[in-house]
Amino acid sequence: MFSIGELSKRTKVKIPTIRYYEGMGLLAAPERTTGNQRRYDAAGLERLSFIKHARDLGFSIDAISALIELQDHPDRSCQAATAIAAGQLLDVRAKIKRLRTLEKELVRMSKGCDGDGVSQDCYVLASLADHDLCAHEH
Amino acid sequence: MFSIGELSKRTKVKIPTIRYYEGMGLLAAPERTTGNQRRYDAAGLERLSFIKHARDLGFSIDAISALIELQDHPDRSCQAATAIAAGQLLDVRAKIKRLRTLEKELVRMSKGCDGDGVSQDCYVLASLADHDLCAHEH
DNA sequence: ATACGATCTCTAGTGGCTAGAGGTTCAAGA
DNA sequence: TCTTGAACCTCTAGCCACTAGAGATCGTAT
Ligand SMILES: [Zn+2]
Ligand SMILES: [Zn+2]
Ligand SMILES: [Zn+2]
Ligand SMILES: [Zn+2]
């Protein structure tokens, strides 16, 4: 049995975030001391670690709720879990694609100006003012 | 002189967003009709296009404010503008890097399970429960 | 017994919008 | 000129996933 501070240290999830997860219904409300302080056990630690890991991988709270629901029913088909992971992968890939386009434009802009001129002649500002200077859609 | 709806159509910025930008002080308050409706001119269109383009490239509102400030003073050094663009590029690259790591882990997870089993044996769920299965930090 | 860090609840703020309620104005057609 | 209906107005609240702070209480070590 350990305190919320201890749980926070072990999982590297901030205390207010732990309480927030509890309020959301993502993390079960733990036991309390007579003085109303939260006391966690190994199960709580495990669950919060799961949540943390999934959040770090970019899964939404809703997705994590669904994953936890599955975890709580070991005999159910895991099809939904793989679907969620596949969706997350698509999401990440879409984000990468978009960011790579942005990267190219930003490189072009940065190359276009040394920063030793005056704002009126700045290629960065001109580029932002005129999308036609861009090489790609974004 | 055109209405907010027209401005919205031309810039593809939604009407509430335009009003939000005005409230933020990002976009100057335009003239009004006697009936209190906003009427924009070419300058307003140009400025909103600038903002839209910068937002599409991922610049924060604060960064855009600084860029606009520079644009309004054509004789100032553009050093700050290039610094902001360079910072944005670093930001984008950091995001790409992180997402590429996530992508690898998600691919590994997805490969690990066909979705035809039971949640108890699911590699996706096992992977989320145990970061030690991950190939990289993230 | 006392001190002091940790915890409690509650509210409000972050960024960048987005949605809705309830009321007013504009512009085109009859 | 009148009427209709789309577009506009302001204001408040909601979204996601937290984060920060106020002010009060608790737990533990000396
Ligand atoms: Zn420049
Ligand atoms: Zn562009
Ligand atoms: Zn599976
Ligand atoms: Zn991991």
Side-chain angles (χ1 to χ4, degrees):
Chain A
M1 287 305 207
F2 40 88
S3 69
I4 196 170
E6 185 62 27
L7 181 65
S8 171
K9 260 179 215 152
R10 293 202 205 177
T11 57
K12 284 162 196 158
V13 175
K14 285 174 189 161
I15 292 174
T17 306
I18 297 174
R19 292 198 274 246
Y20 167 75
Y21 287 160
E22 183 184 323
M24 302 285 298
L26 194 57
L27 191 63
E31 288 181 46
R32 300 274 186 146
T33 63
T34 47
N36 200 37
Q37 298 194 0
R38 292 167 179 83
R39 285 299 176 267
Y40 295 90
D41 57 11
L45 173 64
E46 220 170 283
R47 167 131 310 176
L48 183 55
S49 301
F50 182 96
I51 294 169
K52 172 70 159 50
H53 197 205
R55 283 297 297 134
D56 284 349
L57 287 162
F59 289 88
S60 73
I61 299 286
D62 269 6
I64 296 172
S65 290
L67 291 168
I68 283 178
E69 180 71 12
L70 272 180
Q71 229 190 6
D72 284 347
H73 299 272
D75 50 332
R76 283 202 200 154
S77 158
C78 74
Q79 214 190 339
T82 57
I84 288 169
Q88 180 60 19
L89 178 54
L90 284 182
D91 217 63
V92 165
R93 284 185 167 154
K95 275 183 182 139
I96 289 172
K97 196 178 171 192
R98 174 145 187 283
L99 286 171
R100 288 180 65 82
T101 306
L102 299 193
E103 187 195 10
K104 279 177 207 149
E105 298 299 349
L106 288 167
V107 165
R108 180 184 52 77
M109 288 183 191
S110 288
K111 274 190 187 159
C113 177
D114 293 343
D116 51 8
V118 123
S119 124
Q120 198 165 18
D121 310 321
C122 184
Y123 185 69
V124 170
L125 291 173
S127 272
L128 286 171
D130 185 8
H131 173 56
D132 288 347
L133 292 173
C134 286
H136 308 270
E137 278 315 305
H138 49 96
Chain B
M1 288 305 210
F2 40 87
S3 69
I4 195 169
E6 185 63 27
L7 181 66
S8 170
K9 259 180 215 149
R10 293 203 204 176
T11 57
K12 282 160 196 161
V13 175
K14 284 173 187 163
I15 291 175
T17 306
I18 297 173
R19 293 199 274 245
Y20 168 74
Y21 287 160
E22 184 184 324
M24 302 285 298
L26 195 57
L27 191 63
E31 287 181 47
R32 301 275 185 144
T33 62
T34 48
N36 200 35
Q37 298 196 0
R38 292 168 180 83
R39 285 297 176 268
Y40 295 89
D41 57 10
L45 173 63
E46 220 170 282
R47 168 131 311 174
L48 184 56
S49 301
F50 182 96
I51 295 168
K52 172 68 157 52
H53 197 206
R55 284 296 301 133
D56 284 349
L57 286 162
F59 289 87
S60 72
I61 297 285
D62 269 7
I64 296 171
S65 291
L67 291 168
I68 283 178
E69 179 71 11
L70 272 180
Q71 231 189 5
D72 283 347
H73 299 273
D75 50 332
R76 283 201 200 156
S77 158
C78 74
Q79 215 190 337
T82 55
I84 288 168
Q88 180 59 19
L89 178 54
L90 284 182
D91 217 65
V92 165
R93 283 186 168 152
K95 276 184 181 136
I96 289 172
K97 197 178 170 190
R98 174 146 188 284
L99 286 171
R100 287 181 65 82
T101 307
L102 299 194
E103 186 195 10
K104 279 178 205 146
E105 298 300 348
L106 288 167
V107 165
R108 180 183 53 75
M109 288 182 192
S110 287
K111 273 189 187 157
C113 178
D114 293 342
D116 52 7
V118 124
S119 125
Q120 199 164 20
D121 310 321
C122 183
Y123 184 70
V124 170
L125 291 173
S127 273
L128 286 170
D130 185 8
H131 172 57
D132 289 346
L133 293 172
C134 286
H136 307 271
E137 276 317 304
H138 49 94

